[in-house]
Amino acid sequence: MVAPAAKRQAVAHLVEDHGMSERRACRVIGCCRMTMRYEAVRQGDPVLRERLKELAKVRRRFGDRRLHVFLRREGHEVNHKRLFRIYCEERLHVRRRGGRKRAMGTRAPMVLPMMPNQRWSLDFVSDQLTDGRRFRIMTVVDDCTRECLALIADTSLSGARVARELATLFGARGKPQTMVSDNGTEFTSNAILTFADDCKIDWHYIAPGKPTQNAFIESFNGRLRDELLNETLFPSLHHARVTLAAWRTDYNSERPHSRLGWQTPAEFAQTFAPQRGLTLRNQQSSAPAPVAQPAQMGKTQPRSLAHTG
């Protein structure tokens, strides 16, 4: 018995059923007599409790800490321990989905980029419509600000399509110094290799079978699948695109990010506003931090495909 309520019940049982005095029963149980006389004074918190339940119903995959940030934004001054108690009483815990076993080993920490547009990460996520048709989503993330730059959904995304979408994104935001991706056929195609050479971008390919070397986009993909794809049915591709656009806006401007001090990615990006006026030459003067260990040399590299045709 460790909880005060359990100790009170045990003392009351000894006093009522065995005729012990309260002093002796407390000595036997190991309970302080002040605990028996303490009367809890707790506020009902009906408004806070109802608002917490409403937020948890809308943000089904958010835990108590992230919901606490939303409540503070709305003006609710509540201690995190008190909020967690209400959170537990209402049984709002996020159900954890089972995951596969992962091998443990030595891992070097990933160096964070210091400026926006210093390094972008790309990857693909797959899902299906209600009629069974499969579609893919190209995700693009700025590793510094954690902003989601693009969510491109279509039934087919070739290397040429990826190059066109990136060219449009460059025109709106500017070119990054480094692009990080896996060795998928879309990213190693001649269209992407030629595009990277023309734009003078350093395209870094992670080692095969090492998704942890692209940890930023893998973490984002996990949030995307957990908070949107697993919670939504898409009847059509148009509906998927509209939903993804709305979720991307919410992710960048409303959703607090734990690694950014519970700021949104858009708020964190605003802290770099003075530095964004620097020229491209000044941005390129600092060498980008290494992402991961380079692949072994001596084997055919994907970039050589651009020369062989």
Side-chain angles (χ1 to χ4, degrees), residues 24-43:
R24 184 180 179 186
C26 289
R27 187 183 303 115
V28 172
I29 299 300
C31 174
C32 179
R33 295 184 67 190
M34 295 179 61
T35 303
M36 294 298 301
R37 290 174 169 78
Y38 176 78
E39 295 183 1
V41 181
R42 291 182 178 177
Q43 301 178 5

Side-chain angles (χ1 to χ4, degrees), residues 160-194:
R161 172 69 181 281
V162 172
R164 291 198 303 269
E165 296 292 346
L166 289 179
T168 303
L169 192 58
F170 290 173
R173 185 181 175 89
K175 295 191 300 184
Q177 297 181 19
T178 306
M179 303 282 286
V180 184
S181 71
D182 56 20
N183 294 269
T185 56
E186 300 85 357
F187 299 135
T188 57
S189 63
N190 286 335
I192 289 296
L193 296 176
T194 304

Side-chain angles (χ1 to χ4, degrees), residues 235-276:
S236 65
L237 187 60
H238 173 72
H239 178 263
R241 289 170 175 169
V242 173
T243 306
L244 286 168
W247 187 86
R248 173 177 170 267
T249 301
D250 180 81
Y251 180 88
N252 288 334
S253 59
E254 297 294 334
R255 182 186 186 276
H257 201 294
S258 60
R259 298 299 296 177
L260 302 180
W262 299 110
Q263 298 181 86
T264 65
E267 291 173 347
F268 183 72
Q270 291 299 320
T271 62
F272 295 92
Q275 288 83 351
R276 284 189 174 180

Side-chain angles (χ1 to χ4, degrees), residues 57-121:
K57 184 178 180 180
V58 176
R59 312 273 184 171
R60 296 175 54 185
R61 303 303 299 174
F62 282 11
D64 62 292
R65 295 187 302 171
R66 212 176 300 273
L67 294 176
H68 190 200
V69 176
F70 278 94
L71 290 173
R72 286 206 308 264
R73 289 180 184 175
E74 298 178 0
H76 294 279
E77 296 295 335
V78 55
N79 184 274
H80 69 280
K81 293 182 290 186
R82 177 179 166 195
L83 179 70
F84 182 71
R85 174 178 57 81
I86 301 175
Y87 183 83
C88 294
E89 291 176 355
E90 296 296 334
R91 300 179 180 273
L92 301 176
H93 297 85
V94 178
R95 182 176 62 86
R96 292 186 178 273
R97 296 187 174 95
R100 63 179 179 85
K101 294 183 179 180
R102 291 172 173 83
M104 302 300 295
T106 303
R107 293 182 173 90
M110 201 172 190
V111 181
L112 294 176
M114 302 305 297
M115 293 291 297
N117 282 6
Q118 185 175 343
R119 189 175 71 213
W120 291 3
S121 298

Side-chain angles (χ1 to χ4, degrees), residues 146-158:
R146 308 301 206 279
E147 293 175 285
C148 175
L149 307 182
L151 290 175
I152 311 299
D154 209 334
T155 54
S156 177
L157 292 169
S158 62

